[in-house]
């Protein structure tokens, strides 16, 4: 039996989110500041730009990740 991936973008997104949660758990939240949307955007701060782009990958807990990925993978 051959496995084929019919939606590589969705699967890649899911894998990135899982890796982010795993790394965040291992580092005890040290990288979480890059995965949060900034409340006040500072155009000169690199962390504001990173948060603007990377916040879509951040999840607060395993339950949060499973809920979001279930919805995305079912679509």
């Amino acid at each position: 039996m051959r496995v084929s991936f019919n939606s590589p973008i969705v699967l890649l997104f899911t894998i990135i989110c899982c890796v982010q949660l795993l790394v965040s758990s291992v580092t005890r939240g040290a990288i979480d500041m890059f995965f949060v949307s900034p409340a006040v955007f500072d155009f000169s701060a690199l962390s504001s730009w990173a948060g603007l782009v990377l916040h879509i990958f951040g999840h607060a807990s395993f339950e949060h990740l499973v809920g979001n990925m279930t919805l995305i993978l079912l679509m």
Side-chain angles (χ1 to χ4, degrees):
M1 181 167 77
R2 184 173 172 218
V3 176
S4 65
F5 298 110
N6 59 354
S7 57
I9 301 299
V10 174
L11 292 172
L12 180 65
F13 177 75
T14 304
I15 290 169
I16 291 171
C17 290
C18 290
V19 168
Q20 183 277 330
L21 186 64
L22 178 69
V23 171
S24 178
S25 298
V26 169
T27 61
R28 295 185 181 153
I31 64 164
D32 286 350
M33 68 179 184
F34 293 110
F35 296 97
V36 177
S37 182
V40 177
F41 193 81
D42 182 13
F43 287 96
S44 62
L46 181 62
S47 62
S48 288
W49 287 101
L52 184 67
V53 175
L54 298 175
H55 78 275
I56 60 171
F57 300 114
H59 290 85
S61 65
F62 182 71
E63 292 81 15
H64 183 211
L65 175 72
V66 169
N68 286 352
M69 292 306 117
T70 301
L71 254 161
I72 289 172
L73 293 174
L74 286 176
M75 277 194 233

